[in-house]
Amino acid sequence: MISPLMTPVRLSLSIALAALLLYACAILGYVPVANLRHAIWQPDPASFGEVYVHFSLLPRMIVALLAGSALAFAGTIFQQLLKNPLAEPSTLGILSGAQLAITLVSLFAVTVSASEREIAGLAGGLAAVAIVAGLAKKANFAPMTLLLCGMIISFSAGSASVILALFHHEYLRGVFIWGSGSLIQNDYSNAAALGLRLIVLIPALLLFYRPLAVAGLDDENARSLGLSAGRLRASVLLIATILSAVVVARVGVIAFVGLAATSVARIAGARTFRQRLYWGSLMGALLLLLADGIVLVGAPIVGEVPTGTVTAIVGAILMLVLLKGVPHSLDEVIAVQNIDASRLLSSRFFLPVSLVIAVTIAIFSLTEQIFTHGIDQMVLFGGRWPRVLTSASAGAMLALAGAIIQVTTRNPMASPEGLGVSAGAGLGIIAAFFLNGMASPLVPLAGGMVGAMLSFALVLAVARQRNYAPGPVLLAGIAVSALATAIISFIVASGDPRASYILAWTMGPTFRATGIFALIASGFAVIGLALAPLFRRWLEVLPLGDGAARSFGVNPGRSRAVLLMFVAILTGAATMMVGPLSFIGLMAPHLVRMAGVRGQVHTLLSATAIGATLMMAADWLGRSADFPYEIPAGVMAAFIGGPYFLWVIRGQGRGSRS
């Protein structure tokens, strides 16, 4: 039960008071109380403090309030439209598309004005949604299809931005910091621009309030009430995309506030769509203001930190604190949908064919000599087998973990990284690297193990009070992941010369794999495959609900805890070997289901084969596409699997309608 003391009103007032106190401390550090009125209305040009407060801090407050409310408003719209509490503007690739376009413009132009950046952001965001909408049109813009296509576009655009940052780190460091969400202002131009755009776009979205309230029903009920669900989704997506892209163009990517604010409002008691719109928008504005106040107060000590990074940290901590009172009704997740695939391979043949393809790619990757003529075959084999085996093992573990967590949480957007284990392991590896360097490959491994264990322990501690229900587990995992990822982003943007190494590691490299790493990774993968069939009964019963599970003699809380522990071990092991790979764990199970595979054991084994195949192919392409340079396998995996996945969805047509 939610405490009667925690209501949206009380929580909003508490956050607002904290934010205003922090801003007051920052302002009074430049202007005494006696001169505050002059600084606000008529600053003395000879006083730096008054000019700074008037032309920087005050517009910064306005921009924080406007941007936070707009992102949270858009997040609520997307959650209602796509019927998933984990949806937000970044879900459909809007933020990643806008950032990629702005990064390209910044790379090829000498200077970029605010209007040019806004045009580029709008073009990138609209292009991303246009691709998603074009692919989902045959499915009548079904929520499931939109979500999956959007995630693929987000991965692809995000990977492209990271590649550009990796190869042009010196030129794009400022863009990278801005991309993490920067609210630094020099005048009121951004505040005025955002205000004018919100005055037009938010009322335009409110015109769809009643249809959106009906859109919370399934499509059949919506049609019975005279609502064209597909046309509604297309119209709302266009306006919400423009709203999100405008914010990105002005302040950079502040992705987590759209999810954190709406989740916090829901946990505090905002249940209806109207309540979530109002309180979610207010929470978004106040959370961003609070985070920026922390940035300003801490700036004299640690320097100017991207506000988006601090927003993720503040939002994550607030979510973790409040999740102890989250009700089971928060679990408004949708079951994993099986898509008709009568035209594709049946489950009887899919697994053997996948295994044959995996073995073929492994042999080819170990023996090909396209760029290495004259080198002894045994020398090549000795250098290649560790990375090929590591790639296959990591891909297999993440795909297996993804298949299990999607069924366990009953959410098609769930992925192994959603437990926070991957980001926690990454943070542990980075900490070990900064403390001890790379003198021994076992030091980062130990750091990763510690980080993974601590992050997962935190998730379990939060979710335990709710019997490990899917909603609290996912939200706790996302909060922990956002917290660790924000810290990693801050390190990358800090200008430390070791940041390039960290950036490369986040892209899933395999070229540093050693024999001992390969053997350890393969050992984890083999053990995971051997144990996975033992969970068949739980995976078949848990999606039916807790009541049905108990009637079959299954303890839902205990079984979910064991399955989550299993997923965490697989994810942590894979992350420690090759870094975070978001694409494999999320999409491999969907590729298998789209191929017509049925049955939990067949799905688990087939997803494992697909994950291993994708990673081995990505490893080979990564070392061959730009020889003698290498593109990390994690990026190549998204480029290989993404187009195929989108092609399959396009071919499915109306069969993918949820």
Side-chain angles (χ1 to χ4, degrees):
M1 294 290 294
I2 290 185
S3 169
L5 297 177
M6 186 179 68
T7 65
V9 175
R10 290 190 175 95
L11 186 59
S12 299
L13 288 175
S14 300
I15 298 175
L17 180 61
L20 291 176
L21 285 175
L22 289 171
Y23 252 93
C25 292
I27 291 174
L28 294 178
Y30 292 93
V31 177
V33 177
N35 297 339
L36 188 57
R37 184 174 64 85
H38 295 288
I40 294 175
W41 299 109
Q42 292 180 328
D44 181 0
S47 172
F48 169 78
E50 293 187 16
V51 171
Y52 181 73
V53 168
H54 184 83
F55 289 103
S56 182
L57 295 187
L58 292 182
R60 186 166 177 154
M61 288 182 66
I62 299 172
V63 168
L65 291 170
L66 293 174
S69 62
L71 290 173
F73 188 89
T76 306
I77 294 291
F78 282 124
Q79 289 171 14
Q80 181 74 6
L81 190 68
L82 303 178
K83 305 175 187 178
N84 197 302
L86 303 184
E88 61 164 333
S90 63
T91 303
L92 295 182
I94 297 170
L95 302 188
S96 297
Q99 184 180 19
L100 175 59
I102 293 171
T103 301
L104 287 171
V105 170
S106 302
L107 183 61
F108 293 106
V110 178
T111 58
V112 181
S113 64
S115 59
E116 292 172 338
R117 190 169 58 214
E118 184 173 32
I119 293 172
L122 282 171
L126 290 173
V129 170
I131 297 173
V132 172
L135 292 166
K137 185 177 181 180
K138 290 185 178 180
N140 198 31
F141 303 101
M144 177 72 158
T145 308
L146 286 168
L147 284 170
L148 296 178
C149 292
M151 292 298 287
I152 289 296
I153 297 300
S154 181
F155 285 145
S156 301
S159 297
S161 296
V162 173
I163 289 177
L164 291 174
L166 181 64
F167 290 123
H168 304 280
H169 188 262
E170 302 82 4
Y171 304 103
L172 293 177
R173 179 173 174 265
V175 177
F176 197 89
I177 295 174
W178 168 86
S180 299
S182 176
L183 296 185
I184 297 176
Q185 305 296 314
N186 296 316
D187 52 36
Y188 288 86
S189 59
N190 281 334
L194 278 177
L196 289 174
R197 286 151 181 76
L198 266 60
I199 288 174
V200 175
L201 295 173
I202 288 183
L205 285 171
L206 287 175
L207 293 175
F208 294 90
Y209 169 76
R210 291 187 180 277
L212 281 170
V214 177
L217 306 172
D218 58 66
D219 286 4
E220 292 298 329
N221 288 332
R223 279 193 290 269
S224 69
L225 296 175
L227 175 65
S228 174
R231 188 174 301 172
L232 170 69
R233 293 187 187 113
S235 302
V236 174
L237 279 176
L238 175 62
I239 302 174
T241 297
I242 296 174
L243 176 62
S244 304
V246 164
V247 175
V248 173
R250 294 288 171 175
V251 301
V253 177
I254 307 179
F256 190 60
V257 70
L259 176 61
T262 53
S263 298
V264 168
R266 191 195 302 259
I267 294 170
R271 293 288 178 264
T272 67
F273 179 46
R274 182 191 298 272
Q275 291 173 337
R276 287 185 282 118
L277 269 179
Y278 176 77
W279 291 111
S281 301
L282 183 59
M283 292 286 185
L286 295 177
L287 278 177
L288 193 53
L289 188 68
L290 175 63
D292 198 47
I294 295 174
V295 170
L296 290 173
V297 172
I301 303 173
V302 298
E304 184 79 26
V305 180
T307 304
T309 299
V310 179
T311 303
I313 296 174
V314 172
I317 293 174
L318 188 59
M319 283 179 63
L320 290 172
V321 171
L322 296 179
L323 270 174
K324 63 180 181 180
V326 63
H328 286 285
S329 61
L330 182 64
D331 303 331
E332 298 174 12
V333 292
I334 53 179
V336 176
Q337 303 289 329
N338 286 328
I339 299 174
D340 181 23
S342 57
R343 294 175 294 172
L344 301 179
L345 294 173
S346 67
S347 59
R348 180 187 304 176
F349 300 107
F350 187 83
L351 179 57
V353 170
S354 299
L355 291 174
V356 170
I357 294 175
V359 172
T360 302
I361 290 179
I363 294 174
F364 174 76
S365 182
L366 287 169
T367 59
E368 62 86 13
Q369 289 184 282
I370 298 176
F371 299 104
T372 56
H373 297 294
I375 299 179
D376 184 79
Q377 188 66 47
M378 293 305 298
V379 174
L380 286 176
F381 181 83
R384 287 177 176 175
W385 77 263
R387 62 185 299 168
V388 173
L389 183 57
T390 300
S391 300
S393 301
M397 286 188 285
L398 288 173
L400 179 59
I404 292 175
I405 196 171
Q406 286 176 9
V407 174
T408 303
T409 60
R410 305 196 304 276
N411 196 306
M413 289 176 62
S415 68
E417 295 75 24
L419 288 180
V421 176
S422 182
L427 192 57
I429 291 173
I430 291 172
F433 171 65
F434 272 86
L435 291 175
N436 296 288
M438 296 296 292
S440 170
L442 296 180
V443 173
L445 184 64
M449 292 177 62
V450 173
M453 291 170 59
L454 290 177
S455 60
F456 185 62
L458 181 56
V459 172
L460 287 185
V462 173
R464 182 180 180 182
Q465 299 179 3
R466 307 309 302 166
N467 202 29
Y468 307 106
V473 166
L474 286 175
L475 290 178
I478 289 173
V480 172
S481 180
L483 185 63
T485 302
I487 297 174
I488 294 174
S489 299
F490 171 67
I491 296 173
V492 172
S494 65
D496 191 287
R498 294 167 290 187
S500 295
Y501 171 84
I502 297 171
L503 187 61
W505 174 82
T506 62
M507 299 163 66
T510 56
F511 50 81
R512 292 186 178 89
T514 61
I516 185 65
F517 270 34
L519 293 176
I520 294 174
S522 61
F524 273 105
V526 170
I527 294 173
L529 278 173
L531 293 177
L534 301 179
F535 303 127
R536 174 181 177 179
R537 185 164 179 264
W538 291 353
L539 294 173
E540 290 175 345
V541 171
L542 285 177
L544 303 177
D546 288 6
R550 293 189 185 95
S551 67
F552 283 102
V554 175
N555 185 318
R558 186 181 304 164
S559 57
R560 276 195 292 263
V562 174
L563 289 171
L564 290 174
M565 180 71 72
F566 183 65
V567 169
I569 293 173
L570 292 176
T571 306
T575 302
M576 286 183 284
M577 302 304 166
V578 297
L581 300 173
S582 300
F583 175 81
I584 300 295
L586 179 65
M587 293 304 168
H590 289 292
L591 291 171
V592 169
R593 295 187 190 99
M594 287 181 175
V597 176
R598 300 295 181 265
Q600 294 300 338
V601 174
H602 277 94
T603 299
L604 294 179
L605 297 178
S606 299
T608 301
I610 289 294
T613 301
L614 277 173
M615 275 303 296
M616 287 189 293
D619 175 64
W620 173 73
L621 277 178
R623 71 171 186 251
S624 303
D626 194 26
F627 186 84
Y629 304 101
E630 289 201 20
I631 300 175
V635 175
M636 292 305 302
F639 286 136
I640 296 171
Y644 171 73
F645 180 79
L646 296 176
W647 174 78
V648 170
I649 288 182
R650 185 175 182 273
Q652 290 297 313
R654 294 185 180 275
S656 62
R657 183 180 300 175
S658 58

